[in-house]
């Protein structure tokens, strides 16, 4: 199975279609063919003409709304078309869930939940969508909590020296912030033709920091880039080794490295078979001493699709040992990808579409417990870093107060852009706040005889906690340290978790945890 690493991001008007508007307006068949091929550039230009001339046609309104919803042309605009389709009547019930998703781009998660309920009343619930419905509900509940506790960050677009009217994404920064490596699907050569989906092939670029801004943006030479797709998926702390993914006629699903030399990055070297397998390996991160690698793979033995795996070098031989899956604490039945280590190697950042969040892929972090040698329960990195769109990669400077991400924002230059985000100074007087929401597998809300205790690493009781009378949630404030969370609810199995609180938790100013109780 080929994993599509391309962002779901398009920009209307980038590609010239070569079909005159009079023909477009007369040929809905062309629009449908383009839509079904995933070429939303061509499809949207036709559908917008068709909708303008025939607003009463249900399919035109739905298709136009879906294009906006599935791209970064203007996702919030999808709501206008989908609601118009609903008002026409006879809209298939499945599209009620599309309206729910469209409402999330307006941060109206309560209305989104209303449409999930409307689908449950009018649609057909089956084995194919029951898990999806549960995920939507979990996301909408988590997002409402995340909106209550936004992270204090500022966004800085890297400007036209880096960003373009095309998709620019997957930024990786050296820890000293002197070197930026990123991927772009911009038009490079005159006369270049887009691929079947309307995008130009992806290439890897570099930019240098002159102390004020990133300049000298350059496409890496043909040792790394080809006429096909290459995408940056990792970078060592110093920037001396680039990790990238290749998708061409002869190979896909493997990670290559290129080492920095005097004339630039050198010839690619394919990572060892212990890392690359017959399955898809899509991204990786290496510890500062080079002894540990975290990578994503959909190989057998995982929790679902793409999972995060770890592998260590044997001290005696210097060879990579056997990969180990990070387990169900980190991985879900859906995709986890783009593992990235902090400068000290004690915090793992990754994206997931399985853990509850704002919608799509969200960024999460997990702290490493040196005593148990385990990664702790992932925490959502928070809004507005995470949004209803797909946030997949993040790269940090040495001190961990500045990061580089991909985002679609109003001040962008077109499609998705690369942003530098700056975190406000930590107020170390304040503790980390954990907001706990207890739910049950059957969706019940009334829980009796709930006892929540938190003990420190010395087994000393820190406190017992009771729900907020309005939100029915439990708020726990913890200073840096290791804690044991114990939850006992009458009629349900006990829940126990190790929480390692560090500056990352405090910086987030929220740590929403949705805990599903089991019988």
């Amino acid at each position: 199975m080929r994993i599509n690493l391309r962002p779901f991001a398009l920009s209307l008007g980038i590609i010239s279609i070569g079909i005159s508007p009079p023909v477009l307006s007369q040929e809905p068949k062309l629009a449908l063919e383009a839509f079904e091929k995933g070429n939303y550039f061509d499809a949207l230009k036709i559908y917008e003409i068709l909708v303008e001339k025939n607003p009463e046609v249900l399919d035109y309104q739905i298709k136009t709304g879906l294009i906006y919803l599935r791209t970064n042309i203007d996702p919030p605009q999808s709501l206008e078309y989908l609601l118009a389709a609903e008002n026409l009547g006879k809209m298939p019930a499945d599209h009620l869930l599309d309206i729910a998703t469209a409402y999330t781009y307006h941060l109206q998660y309560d209305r989104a939940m209303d449409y999930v309920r409307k689908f449950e009343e009018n649609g057909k619930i089956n084995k194919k969508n029951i898990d999806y419905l549960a995920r939507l509900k979990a996301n909408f509940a988590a997002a409402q909590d995340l909106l209550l506790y936004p992270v204090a960050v500022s966004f800085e677009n890297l400007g036209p020296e880096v960003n373009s009217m095309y998709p620019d994404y997957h930024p990786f920064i050296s820890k000293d912030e002197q070197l930026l490596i990123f991927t772009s699907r911009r038009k490079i050569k005159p006369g270049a033709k887009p691929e079947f989906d309307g995008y130009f092939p992806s290439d890897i670029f570099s930019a240098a920091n002159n102390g004020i801004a990133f300049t000298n943006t350059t496409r890496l030479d043909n040792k790394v880039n080809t006429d096909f797709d290459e995408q940056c998926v990792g970078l060592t702390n110093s920037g001396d080794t680039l990790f990238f993914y290749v998708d061409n006629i002869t190979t896909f699903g493997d990670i290559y490295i290129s080492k920095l030399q005097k004339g630039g990055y050198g010839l690619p070297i394919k990572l060892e078979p212990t890392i690359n397998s017959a399955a898809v390996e899509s991204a990786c991160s290496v510890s500062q001493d080079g002894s540990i690698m975290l990578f994503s793979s959909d190989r057998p033995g995982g929790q679902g699709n793409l999972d995060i795996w770890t592998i260590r070098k044997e001290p005696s031989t210097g060879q990579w040992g056997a990969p180990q899956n990070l387990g169900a604490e980190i991985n879900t039945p859906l995709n986890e990808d783009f593992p990235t280590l902090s400068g000290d190697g004690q915090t793992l950042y990754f994206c997931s579409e399985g853990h509850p969040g704002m919608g799509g892929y969200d960024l999460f972090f997990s702290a490493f417990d040196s005593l148990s040698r385990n990664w702790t329960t992932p925490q959502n990195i928070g809004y507005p870093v995470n949004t209803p769109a797909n946030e997949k990669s993040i790269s940090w400077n040495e001190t961990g107060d500045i990061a580089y991400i991909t985002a679609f924002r109003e001040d962008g230059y077109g499609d998705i852009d690369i942003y530098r985000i700056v975190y406000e100074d930590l107020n170390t007087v304040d503790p980390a706040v954990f907001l706990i929401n207890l739910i049950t597998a059957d969706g019940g809300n009334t829980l009796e005889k709930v006892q929540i205790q938190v003990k420190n690493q010395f087994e000393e009781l820190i406190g017992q906690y009771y729900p907020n009378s309005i939100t029915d949630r439990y708020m726990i404030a913890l200073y840096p340290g290791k804690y044991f969370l114990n939850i006992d609810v009458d009629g349900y199995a006990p829940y126990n978790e190790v929480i390692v609180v560090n500056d990352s938790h405090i910086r987030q100013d929220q740590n929403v945890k949705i805990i599903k109780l089991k019988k």
Side-chain angles (χ1 to χ4, degrees), residues 48-102:
E48 285 197 321
I49 294 173
L50 293 173
V51 165
E52 184 177 358
K53 291 188 174 183
N54 304 281
E56 75 285 352
V57 178
L58 179 67
D59 186 63
Y60 297 166
Q61 296 282 6
I62 291 176
K63 291 294 196 303
T64 306
L66 292 179
I67 291 172
Y68 279 112
L69 191 62
R70 296 174 183 178
T71 69
N72 276 329
I73 296 170
D74 189 358
Q77 195 169 335
S78 63
L79 186 61
E80 173 188 342
Y81 292 95
L82 293 173
L83 288 178
E86 184 188 27
N87 291 334
L88 290 173
K90 297 183 180 181
M91 186 173 77
D94 285 354
H95 291 303
L96 294 172
L97 299 181
D98 293 318
I99 295 177
T101 302

Side-chain angles (χ1 to χ4, degrees), residues 357-375:
M358 300 291 293
Y361 282 91
D362 268 21
L363 292 165
F364 293 82
F365 68 91
S366 171
F368 185 72
D369 177 17
S370 58
L371 295 179
S372 67
R373 311 295 297 175
N374 289 320
W375 293 100

Side-chain angles (χ1 to χ4, degrees), residues 28 56 60 69 71 88 109 121 126 142 181 192 212 219 225 229 254 285 312 347 360 363 381 403 423 480 486 494 504:
E56 75 285 352
Y60 297 166
L69 191 62
T71 69
L88 290 173
Y109 287 92
E121 295 170 358
N126 51 43
I181 303 290
I212 300 174
R219 176 183 178 269
N225 287 312
D229 290 297
D254 289 325
S285 181
R312 295 173 179 269
T347 304
L363 292 165
I381 207 169
Y423 283 75
N486 304 303
S504 296

Side-chain angles (χ1 to χ4, degrees), residues 156 158 162 173-174 176-180 206-217 402 404 420:
E156 175 191 338
L158 293 194
V162 171
I173 193 77
S174 60
D176 61 7
E177 290 190 83
Q178 294 304 298
L179 173 67
L180 173 70
S206 68
N209 191 341
N210 64 8
I212 300 174
F214 284 95
T215 59
N216 298 323
T217 296
I402 294 173
Y404 292 75
R420 183 177 188 260

Side-chain angles (χ1 to χ4, degrees), residues 34 49 58 67 99 120 211 359 405 416 425 427 460 502:
I49 294 173
L58 179 67
I67 291 172
I99 295 177
E120 291 176 328
I405 65 167
I416 47 176
D425 292 338
N427 181 356
E460 297 170 338
N502 57 27

Side-chain angles (χ1 to χ4, degrees), residues 2 52 65 74 130 206 235 254 340 355 368 390 424 482:
R2 178 173 293 200
E52 184 177 358
D74 189 358
I130 192 168
S206 68
L235 189 71
D254 289 325
T340 301
H355 294 288
F368 185 72
N390 291 317
E424 291 185 357
K482 179 179 177 179

Side-chain angles (χ1 to χ4, degrees), residues 136-336:
L136 286 180
K137 290 180 180 179
N139 279 340
F140 296 167
Q144 287 175 309
D145 288 331
L146 292 168
L147 288 173
L148 294 175
Y149 300 90
V151 181
V153 295
S154 60
F155 288 78
E156 175 191 338
N157 189 294
L158 293 194
E161 287 288 329
V162 171
N163 292 309
S164 67
M165 62 186 294
Y166 302 91
D168 303 294
Y169 56 101
H170 296 341
F172 288 89
I173 193 77
S174 60
K175 294 303 179 186
D176 61 7
E177 290 190 83
Q178 294 304 298
L179 173 67
L180 173 70
I181 303 290
F182 65 98
T183 306
S184 180
R185 300 202 70 177
R186 62 188 64 181
K187 186 176 181 180
I188 300 299
K189 300 176 182 178
K193 295 181 179 180
E195 298 185 334
F196 72 94
D197 59 357
Y199 287 105
F200 291 103
S202 58
D203 282 315
I204 301 172
F205 291 75
S206 68
N209 191 341
N210 64 8
I212 300 174
F214 284 95
T215 59
N216 298 323
T217 296
T218 306
R219 176 183 178 269
L220 300 190
D221 65 27
N222 292 337
K223 295 188 186 75
V224 174
N225 287 312
T226 68
D227 291 336
F228 300 99
D229 290 297
E230 292 78 32
Q231 301 194 52
C232 179
V233 297
L235 189 71
T236 53
N237 290 356
S238 64
D240 63 350
T241 303
L242 163 69
F243 300 88
F244 64 101
Y245 179 95
V246 175
D247 185 353
N248 59 36
I249 294 176
T250 60
T251 183
F252 72 93
D254 289 325
I255 300 172
Y256 289 74
I257 66 171
S258 176
K259 293 186 177 294
L260 189 61
Q261 301 171 348
K262 281 187 177 181
Y265 285 97
L267 290 171
I269 302 170
K270 189 175 180 179
L271 288 180
E272 294 88 332
T274 48
I275 299 167
N276 284 319
S277 69
V280 169
E281 284 70 44
S282 55
C284 66
S285 181
V286 178
S287 62
Q288 188 166 7
D289 62 4
S291 65
I292 300 172
M293 176 180 286
L294 291 158
F295 65 95
S296 48
S297 173
D298 68 349
R299 66 186 60 196
Q303 304 298 318
N305 295 328
L306 285 173
D307 275 6
I308 309 297
W309 297 71
T310 185
I311 190 169
R312 295 173 179 269
K313 281 188 176 179
E314 301 291 348
S316 58
T317 64
Q319 301 297 312
W320 292 110
Q324 293 183 323
N325 189 280
L326 290 194
E329 197 71 27
I330 297 294
N331 295 310
T332 71
L334 299 177
N335 289 309
E336 280 71 43

